[in-house]
Amino acid sequence: MIKTMALLLGISATTLASATENKPALEIKQLTGDFYIFTTYQVYNNQPVPANGMYVVTDKGVVMLDGAWDPTQNQPLLDSIEARHHKKVVLEIGTHYHSDRSGAFDFLRKKGVKTYSSLKTLELCKEFKEHEAEFYFTKDTTFHVGKLEFETYYAGPGHTKDNIVIWFPKAKVLYGGCLIKSADATDLGNVQDANLKQWPETLKKLQQRFPEPAYIIPGHGDWSSRRALIHTLELLQRDKRNRNETGKK
Protein backbone atom coordinates (compact mmCIF):
# COMPACT_ATOMS: atom_id res chain seq x y z
CA MET A 1 0.00 0.00 0.00
CA ILE A 2 2.77 2.45 0.97
CA LYS A 3 4.82 1.64 -2.16
CA THR A 4 1.79 2.01 -4.45
CA MET A 5 0.79 5.38 -3.03
CA ALA A 6 4.39 6.58 -3.09
CA LEU A 7 4.52 5.87 -6.82
CA LEU A 8 1.24 7.71 -7.38
CA LEU A 9 2.46 10.75 -5.46
CA GLY A 10 5.96 10.67 -6.90
CA ILE A 11 7.81 10.44 -3.59
CA SER A 12 9.87 7.74 -1.93
CA ALA A 13 8.22 5.01 0.12
CA THR A 14 10.41 6.00 3.08
CA THR A 15 9.31 9.63 2.88
CA LEU A 16 5.67 8.64 2.55
CA ALA A 17 5.88 6.24 5.46
CA SER A 18 7.38 8.98 7.64
CA ALA A 19 4.72 11.50 6.64
CA THR A 20 1.97 8.92 7.10
CA GLU A 21 3.14 8.13 10.62
CA ASN A 22 2.91 11.82 11.50
CA LYS A 23 -0.45 12.59 9.90
CA PRO A 24 -3.56 13.10 12.04
CA ALA A 25 -6.10 10.29 12.16
CA LEU A 26 -9.87 10.55 12.28
CA GLU A 27 -11.51 13.74 13.53
CA ILE A 28 -15.26 14.18 14.16
CA LYS A 29 -16.88 17.52 14.99
CA GLN A 30 -20.50 18.52 15.35
CA LEU A 31 -21.76 20.93 12.72
CA THR A 32 -25.27 21.57 14.05
CA GLY A 33 -27.95 19.38 15.59
CA ASP A 34 -27.62 15.87 14.18
CA PHE A 35 -25.05 16.89 11.54
CA TYR A 36 -21.38 15.94 12.00
CA ILE A 37 -18.26 16.52 9.90
CA PHE A 38 -15.60 13.83 9.85
CA THR A 39 -12.10 14.47 8.54
CA THR A 40 -9.43 12.00 7.48
CA TYR A 41 -6.05 12.58 5.87
CA GLN A 42 -3.83 11.41 3.06
CA VAL A 43 -0.32 12.54 2.18
CA TYR A 44 0.23 14.82 -0.82
CA ASN A 45 3.55 16.53 -1.57
CA ASN A 46 4.84 15.11 1.70
CA GLN A 47 2.15 16.92 3.67
CA PRO A 48 -1.01 15.55 5.33
CA VAL A 49 -4.06 16.80 3.42
CA PRO A 50 -7.51 16.72 5.07
CA ALA A 51 -10.69 15.49 3.37
CA ASN A 52 -14.12 16.22 4.80
CA GLY A 53 -17.14 13.94 4.83
CA MET A 54 -20.40 14.33 6.70
CA TYR A 55 -22.91 12.16 8.47
CA VAL A 56 -26.41 12.83 9.78
CA VAL A 57 -28.11 10.94 12.60
CA THR A 58 -31.75 10.01 11.99
CA ASP A 59 -34.32 7.94 13.84
CA LYS A 60 -33.78 5.19 11.23
CA GLY A 61 -29.99 5.13 11.23
CA VAL A 62 -27.10 7.28 10.04
CA VAL A 63 -26.72 8.81 6.58
CA MET A 64 -23.12 9.31 5.39
CA LEU A 65 -21.85 11.53 2.60
CA ASP A 66 -18.58 10.30 1.14
CA GLY A 67 -16.29 8.09 3.21
CA ALA A 68 -12.92 8.13 4.90
CA TRP A 69 -10.15 9.13 2.49
CA ASP A 70 -7.75 7.11 4.58
CA PRO A 71 -9.07 3.54 4.21
CA THR A 72 -7.60 2.56 7.58
CA GLN A 73 -10.11 4.93 9.19
CA ASN A 74 -13.30 3.42 7.71
CA GLN A 75 -13.80 0.97 10.57
CA PRO A 76 -12.83 3.49 13.29
CA LEU A 77 -15.35 5.89 11.74
CA LEU A 78 -18.17 3.33 11.92
CA ASP A 79 -17.12 2.35 15.44
CA SER A 80 -17.08 5.99 16.56
CA ILE A 81 -20.53 6.64 15.09
CA GLU A 82 -22.03 3.59 16.77
CA ALA A 83 -20.36 4.33 20.12
CA ARG A 84 -21.49 7.96 20.08
CA HIS A 85 -25.01 7.60 18.71
CA HIS A 86 -25.87 3.91 19.22
CA LYS A 87 -26.91 3.70 15.57
CA LYS A 88 -25.46 2.16 12.43
CA VAL A 89 -24.77 3.77 9.07
CA VAL A 90 -27.57 2.68 6.73
CA LEU A 91 -26.93 4.75 3.59
CA GLU A 92 -23.95 6.47 1.95
CA ILE A 93 -23.69 8.70 -1.11
CA GLY A 94 -20.44 9.43 -2.94
CA THR A 95 -20.30 12.86 -4.58
CA HIS A 96 -17.83 12.08 -7.39
CA TYR A 97 -15.54 9.36 -8.64
CA HIS A 98 -12.17 10.34 -7.11
CA SER A 99 -10.94 8.05 -4.35
CA ASP A 100 -11.49 10.61 -1.57
CA ARG A 101 -15.23 10.29 -2.37
CA SER A 102 -15.64 6.77 -3.78
CA GLY A 103 -12.96 4.94 -1.82
CA ALA A 104 -15.26 3.60 0.92
CA PHE A 105 -17.93 2.09 -1.36
CA ASP A 106 -16.66 -1.49 -1.20
CA PHE A 107 -15.97 -1.41 2.53
CA LEU A 108 -19.38 0.01 3.39
CA ARG A 109 -21.26 -2.34 1.08
CA LYS A 110 -19.64 -5.31 2.82
CA LYS A 111 -20.88 -3.84 6.11
CA GLY A 112 -24.46 -3.84 4.82
CA VAL A 113 -24.63 -0.13 4.03
CA LYS A 114 -26.61 0.88 0.93
CA THR A 115 -24.15 2.85 -1.23
CA TYR A 116 -25.27 5.30 -3.92
CA SER A 117 -23.79 7.53 -6.59
CA SER A 118 -25.00 9.19 -9.74
CA LEU A 119 -24.88 7.19 -12.96
CA LYS A 120 -22.15 9.58 -14.21
CA THR A 121 -20.05 8.74 -11.17
CA LEU A 122 -20.64 5.03 -11.57
CA GLU A 123 -19.53 5.16 -15.20
CA LEU A 124 -16.36 7.07 -14.28
CA CYS A 125 -15.61 4.69 -11.42
CA LYS A 126 -15.81 1.83 -13.91
CA GLU A 127 -13.61 3.68 -16.40
CA PHE A 128 -10.90 4.58 -13.88
CA LYS A 129 -11.22 1.39 -11.83
CA GLU A 130 -12.35 3.13 -8.65
CA HIS A 131 -14.72 1.53 -6.15
CA GLU A 132 -18.33 1.48 -7.37
CA ALA A 133 -21.56 2.17 -5.50
CA GLU A 134 -24.12 -0.62 -5.35
CA PHE A 135 -26.99 1.65 -6.45
CA TYR A 136 -27.18 4.71 -8.70
CA PHE A 137 -29.58 7.50 -9.62
CA THR A 138 -29.98 9.00 -13.08
CA LYS A 139 -31.32 12.43 -12.11
CA ASP A 140 -31.54 14.80 -9.16
CA THR A 141 -33.12 12.73 -6.42
CA THR A 142 -34.81 13.38 -3.08
CA PHE A 143 -34.09 10.84 -0.34
CA HIS A 144 -36.02 10.22 2.86
CA VAL A 145 -34.46 8.37 5.78
CA GLY A 146 -36.69 8.48 8.81
CA LYS A 147 -37.69 12.11 9.25
CA LEU A 148 -34.67 13.39 7.31
CA GLU A 149 -35.17 14.72 3.80
CA PHE A 150 -32.33 15.69 1.48
CA GLU A 151 -31.75 16.06 -2.26
CA THR A 152 -28.90 15.49 -4.68
CA TYR A 153 -28.23 18.16 -7.29
CA TYR A 154 -26.02 18.20 -10.34
CA ALA A 155 -25.37 21.78 -11.48
CA GLY A 156 -22.73 20.94 -14.09
CA PRO A 157 -19.02 20.13 -14.36
CA GLY A 158 -16.39 21.77 -12.19
CA HIS A 159 -13.79 19.91 -10.15
CA THR A 160 -14.87 16.85 -12.15
CA LYS A 161 -17.51 16.25 -14.80
CA ASP A 162 -19.70 14.29 -12.36
CA ASN A 163 -19.49 16.31 -9.11
CA ILE A 164 -22.80 16.64 -7.28
CA VAL A 165 -23.84 18.54 -4.17
CA ILE A 166 -26.35 17.52 -1.51
CA TRP A 167 -28.85 19.89 0.08
CA PHE A 168 -30.64 19.53 3.41
CA PRO A 169 -33.53 22.02 3.20
CA LYS A 170 -34.63 22.02 6.84
CA ALA A 171 -31.15 22.69 8.27
CA LYS A 172 -30.06 24.67 5.17
CA VAL A 173 -26.85 22.66 4.90
CA LEU A 174 -25.17 22.59 1.50
CA TYR A 175 -22.69 19.74 1.24
CA GLY A 176 -20.51 20.81 -1.67
CA GLY A 177 -17.79 18.18 -1.75
CA CYS A 178 -14.82 19.04 -3.95
CA LEU A 179 -16.89 21.28 -6.23
CA ILE A 180 -16.50 23.94 -3.51
CA LYS A 181 -13.14 25.02 -2.09
CA SER A 182 -12.74 26.07 1.51
CA ALA A 183 -12.70 29.78 2.36
CA ASP A 184 -9.04 29.49 3.37
CA ALA A 185 -7.91 27.69 0.19
CA THR A 186 -5.11 29.46 -1.67
CA ASP A 187 -5.62 27.68 -4.99
CA LEU A 188 -7.95 25.27 -6.80
CA GLY A 189 -5.99 22.19 -5.80
CA ASN A 190 -6.13 19.20 -8.12
CA VAL A 191 -7.53 20.40 -11.46
CA GLN A 192 -6.36 17.47 -13.59
CA ASP A 193 -9.98 16.44 -14.28
CA ALA A 194 -11.53 19.89 -13.89
CA ASN A 195 -13.57 21.87 -16.38
CA LEU A 196 -12.24 25.33 -15.59
CA LYS A 197 -14.41 27.01 -18.21
CA GLN A 198 -17.71 25.63 -16.92
CA TRP A 199 -16.90 25.59 -13.20
CA PRO A 200 -17.91 29.24 -12.56
CA GLU A 201 -21.27 28.76 -14.31
CA THR A 202 -21.88 25.62 -12.27
CA LEU A 203 -21.28 27.55 -9.04
CA LYS A 204 -23.61 30.35 -10.16
CA LYS A 205 -26.35 27.76 -10.61
CA LEU A 206 -25.77 26.67 -7.03
CA GLN A 207 -26.08 30.27 -5.84
CA GLN A 208 -29.39 30.62 -7.65
CA ARG A 209 -30.83 27.35 -6.40
CA PHE A 210 -29.57 27.64 -2.80
CA PRO A 211 -29.31 31.40 -2.18
CA GLU A 212 -29.01 31.42 1.61
CA PRO A 213 -27.35 28.28 3.01
CA ALA A 214 -26.63 28.35 6.72
CA TYR A 215 -23.66 26.03 6.26
CA ILE A 216 -21.45 25.20 3.25
CA ILE A 217 -19.23 22.13 3.52
CA PRO A 218 -16.25 21.93 1.12
CA GLY A 219 -14.47 18.71 0.32
CA HIS A 220 -11.20 19.81 1.91
CA GLY A 221 -10.12 22.33 4.53
CA ASP A 222 -12.02 24.67 6.82
CA TRP A 223 -15.80 24.37 6.79
CA SER A 224 -16.70 27.14 9.23
CA SER A 225 -17.23 29.94 6.69
CA ARG A 226 -20.23 30.65 4.50
CA ARG A 227 -17.89 32.38 2.00
CA ALA A 228 -16.61 29.10 0.60
CA LEU A 229 -18.70 29.23 -2.58
CA ILE A 230 -17.90 32.89 -3.23
CA HIS A 231 -14.23 32.25 -2.51
CA THR A 232 -14.20 29.39 -5.04
CA LEU A 233 -15.50 31.79 -7.68
CA GLU A 234 -12.74 34.24 -6.74
CA LEU A 235 -10.10 31.51 -7.08
CA LEU A 236 -11.46 30.61 -10.51
CA GLN A 237 -11.36 34.25 -11.60
CA ARG A 238 -7.77 34.56 -10.41
CA ASP A 239 -6.81 31.32 -12.11
CA LYS A 240 -8.35 32.54 -15.37
CA ARG A 241 -6.38 35.82 -15.19
CA ASN A 242 -3.16 33.90 -14.51
CA ARG A 243 -3.77 31.58 -17.43
CA ASN A 244 -4.52 34.50 -19.75
CA GLU A 245 -1.31 36.21 -18.68
CA THR A 246 0.80 33.12 -19.25
CA GLY A 247 -1.00 32.05 -22.42
CA LYS A 248 -2.21 28.75 -20.94
CA LYS A 249 -5.46 27.23 -22.12
Side-chain angles (χ1 to χ4, degrees):
M1 178 70 178
I2 289 288
K3 288 183 178 179
T4 300
M5 185 157 291
L7 288 172
L8 290 173
L9 296 176
I11 60 178
S12 71
T14 301
T15 299
L16 178 58
S18 175
T20 302
E21 288 175 0
N22 295 322
K23 75 180 179 183
L26 172 68
E27 298 172 350
I28 299 175
K29 295 182 180 179
Q30 186 178 29
L31 176 67
T32 181
D34 292 321
F35 291 73
Y36 294 81
I37 307 300
F38 62 88
T39 304
T40 58
Y41 294 78
Q42 279 292 4
V43 176
Y44 182 72
N45 287 341
N46 200 29
Q47 294 293 326
V49 178
N52 301 321
M54 188 171 80
Y55 70 83
V56 190
V57 182
T58 83
D59 56 327
K60 297 297 183 180
V62 175
V63 172
M64 182 183 293
L65 307 185
D66 297 325
W69 192 12
D70 179 351
T72 69
Q73 295 305 308
N74 279 315
Q75 188 62 56
L77 175 58
L78 294 189
D79 292 343
S80 296
I81 290 172
E82 189 165 359
R84 183 180 296 208
H85 307 290
H86 308 291
K87 295 181 184 292
K88 293 183 179 294
V89 176
V90 295
L91 183 150
E92 187 245 9
I93 299 177
T95 54
H96 70 268
Y97 76 95
H98 286 168
S99 61
D100 56 338
R101 308 294 137 186
S102 66
F105 280 151
D106 284 356
F107 174 86
L108 292 172
R109 178 162 49 180
K110 291 174 183 176
K111 295 292 181 177
V113 179
K114 291 183 177 180
T115 57
Y116 287 83
S117 75
S118 71
L119 177 58
K120 286 186 180 70
T121 295
L122 178 63
E123 291 170 343
L124 288 166
C125 285
K126 289 179 182 293
E127 180 180 349
F128 291 98
K129 295 180 171 54
E130 299 288 356
H131 295 183
E132 301 168 21
E134 183 176 6
F135 305 101
Y136 66 86
F137 42 88
T138 59
K139 59 184 179 180
D140 298 335
T141 302
T142 298
F143 286 80
H144 294 87
V145 179
K147 298 177 182 178
L148 179 70
E149 176 182 308
F150 57 98
E151 63 185 77
T152 69
Y153 179 58
Y154 177 70
H159 172 70
T160 59
K161 65 178 69 175
D162 63 320
N163 44 212
I164 63 170
V165 301
I166 301 178
W167 172 248
F168 296 82
K170 187 174 181 180
K172 295 187 180 300
V173 173
L174 178 61
Y175 182 84
C178 298
L179 179 61
I180 299 177
K181 304 297 295 182
S182 68
D184 62 352
T186 57
D187 57 44
L188 294 169
N190 175 17
V191 294
Q192 182 177 350
D193 301 314
N195 187 324
L196 295 172
K197 184 177 180 180
Q198 287 294 118
W199 198 340
E201 295 305 314
T202 297
L203 293 178
K204 289 173 185 177
K205 288 182 182 178
L206 290 186
Q207 289 178 315
Q208 292 171 358
R209 189 176 178 97
F210 311 117
E212 295 183 359
Y215 304 92
I216 300 175
I217 311 304
H220 301 272
D222 179 64
W223 40 267
S224 64
S225 173
R226 288 193 293 177
R227 290 199 75 258
L229 200 157
I230 294 172
H231 181 63
T232 307
L233 280 168
E234 293 171 347
L235 289 174
L236 285 160
Q237 290 168 357
R238 188 178 72 187
D239 180 81
K240 183 178 180 179
R241 287 196 301 270
N242 291 341
R243 286 174 180 273
N244 287 339
E245 290 172 359
T246 58
K248 293 181 180 179
K249 294 183 179 179

